[in-house]
Amino acid sequence: MPKLIRAAVVPEPGADFETMDVLLDDPRAGEVRVRVEAVGICHADIAAREGTTPFQHPAVLGHEGAGVVETVGAGVTSLRPGDRVVLTFASCGACASCRSGLPSQCVDFLSLNFAAGARPDGSPTLWHGDTPLHGHFFGQSSFATHALVTERNAVKLPDDAPPATLAPLGCGIQTGAGAVLNVLRPAPGGSVAVFGAGAVGLAAVMAARLTQAAQVIAVDVNPGRLALATELGATDTIDARTADPVATIRKLTGGGAGHVLESSGNVLVFRQAVDAAAIGGVIGIVGAPFGREAAVDVADIVNASKRIVGIVEGGGVPHVFIPTLAALHAAGRLPVERLVTTFPFDRINDAARAAASGEAVKPVLLL
C-alpha cells in the first residue's frame, strides 16, 4: 500500500512550496524507499519551481537528500533497511555511457532527472488524493519526509555520517569538486579560476586546494562569498563589480588561467571565463540555464587552442566519488559545513528565499 508522507508541493510555476500530506508508492523492483533526514536546496530546485527548467507542475522537487533506507524492493542487493545513504542523480545503467562508467553522460539524463516527472515507464510515484503529482525529480523528489529512489542513485555512507552536512554531496558539492578533481585536473604549479562563489564554486575552490595548483582565483560580486573563498583556500579573489575579472586574471597568472570553471549560469560570465583562459587552457562549464545561448570569439578559441568542456554532476561515478568526498570531509580536508545553513522543513520557503537571494550559500532542510 502507498505510504502517507509529508511533502513540499509546488502547485504551479512560481508559487511557494505548500507542505501537505501526499501518498508515496511502494518500492518496485530495483527501488528503495528512504526516510529523509536532511535535504539541500540547489539552484536547480529554484529554477524548476519557477518553471524555467523542463519540469511539470504540480511538482515535488528536491535532489540533495540524505537519510536512512526504510524498505527495499525486489532485486536490490547493495542496500538494506537501516543503511544511511546520500541521494544523487538518476541514470539508466544500460546505455553505452553508463556501461562505460560515465553515468553523468547517460543518454536518458534529461528525461530521468528533469522532464519525465515519473518513472521511466510513465507511472507516477506520488499522489495528492487521486491527483498524480510530478515527482521522481533527479530520481528522488526529496523535499519530503520520504523519497522513492533506485538502487543506482542511493549511495551508502558510514552510519555516523552527518546527514545535514553530507546531503549536498549528492549534487552541488559533487558538481564543483568533481569538475576540478575529475575533469579539469590542474597540474602541479598550475592555476585555477572559478567564476561564481556559490556552493558549486566554493566546492571547486576547496577541491582546487586539494590539488597542487599554485593559484586558486575566485570571482564573484558578493564580498562575503569572496571572503569565505579566501578562508576555504583561494589565493586571490576578484570582485567583478569593481574590477575587470579577465584583465585581473591575466595579470595574476601572466597571461590567463590554465583551468577555468564557470559556475554562475550567467552567459555573459561564461564569455568572461573563456576570455580569461590561457593559451591551451580548459574552460569547464557547469552552470546551465535552459534555452540560453552565449557568444564567444571563435578565432580566440582556435588560435589559442582553448577547450570548452561541459561538465554534468562533476563527471564522476557517484558510488565511488561521493564516499571519497565524505572521507575527505571526515578528515577535515573538505569543510562542507562552512557552506551550510540549516532550516526546519516547515520553513522551506524561507530557505528558498535565502538561497535565491544569496543570504545562505547552501540551505539544508532538516526533517
Side-chain angles (χ1 to χ4, degrees):
M1 294 290 292
K3 183 180 181 67
L4 185 67
I5 68 168
R6 197 79 175 158
V9 178
V10 182
E12 60 186 14
D16 280 349
F17 294 98
E18 297 181 11
T19 305
M20 61 184 70
D21 290 335
V22 304
L23 290 173
L24 177 68
D25 204 4
D26 284 333
R28 295 182 182 177
E31 294 181 338
V32 178
R33 188 170 68 216
V34 174
R35 175 172 54 82
V36 178
E37 296 179 314
V39 54
I41 294 181
C42 181
H43 175 73
D45 297 306
I46 305 301
R49 184 190 68 171
E50 297 302 314
T52 57
T53 60
F55 200 77
Q56 299 181 65
H57 297 74
V60 178
L61 306 172
H63 66 288
E64 289 185 339
V68 177
V69 173
E70 190 172 83
T71 307
V72 302
V76 173
T77 59
S78 64
L79 297 169
R80 61 184 182 182
D83 284 345
R84 173 152 280 124
V85 291
V86 163
L87 309 181
T88 188
F89 64 91
S91 56
C92 74
C95 70
S97 294
C98 286
R99 295 198 308 272
S100 300
L102 298 169
S104 65
Q105 298 179 25
C106 175
V107 67
D108 291 323
F109 185 91
L110 287 179
S111 63
L112 290 175
N113 292 281
F114 287 103
R119 292 184 175 96
D121 67 2
S123 60
T125 58
L126 290 159
W127 297 264
H128 182 230
D130 295 329
T131 302
L133 300 173
H134 294 94
H136 218 59
F137 187 63
F138 275 76
Q140 53 182 281
S141 287
S142 49
F143 284 164
T145 57
H146 296 76
L148 193 63
V149 303
T150 71
E151 189 174 16
R152 285 187 59 79
N153 67 313
V155 180
K156 183 178 178 180
L157 292 181
D159 292 341
D160 60 352
T165 302
L166 298 187
L169 298 187
C171 183
I173 305 304
Q174 173 177 232
T175 296
V180 172
L181 299 177
N182 296 327
V183 181
L184 297 181
R185 297 183 178 182
S191 55
V192 180
V194 178
F195 283 76
V200 173
L202 290 172
V205 167
M206 289 190 284
R209 293 307 296 164
L210 295 174
T211 73
Q212 297 183 59
Q215 291 176 291
V216 180
I217 304 165
V219 182
D220 204 278
V221 295
N222 184 321
R225 297 286 180 89
L226 293 173
L228 181 56
T230 299
E231 295 173 15
L232 294 174
T235 59
D236 301 276
T237 61
I238 301 170
D239 188 334
R241 300 173 306 166
T242 58
D244 179 343
V246 176
T248 306
I249 289 171
R250 287 175 176 170
K251 181 178 181 180
L252 287 170
T253 59
H259 299 84
V260 184
L261 183 68
E262 203 304 287
S263 70
S264 73
N266 184 313
V267 294
L268 298 178
V269 176
F270 168 63
R271 171 60 188 267
Q272 292 179 328
V274 174
D275 291 346
I279 294 174
V282 181
I283 305 99
I285 177 169
V286 296
F290 282 87
R292 299 294 302 277
E293 297 181 356
V296 294
D297 185 339
V298 177
D300 173 55
I301 294 170
V302 173
N303 294 331
S305 300
K306 296 180 180 181
R307 289 173 289 158
I308 300 173
V309 182
I311 305 171
V312 175
E313 295 287 350
V317 179
H319 284 79
V320 176
F321 191 54
I322 289 177
T324 299
L325 294 175
L328 287 168
H329 174 264
R333 301 179 64 195
L334 193 75
V336 178
E337 71 280 357
R338 298 291 307 278
L339 311 184
V340 170
T341 302
T342 58
F343 294 80
F345 183 54
D346 61 5
R347 287 186 57 203
I348 185 171
N349 288 302
D350 292 336
R353 282 188 284 271
S357 69
E359 176 187 346
V361 177
K362 175 55 66 175
V364 174
L365 304 170
L366 302 180
L367 291 94

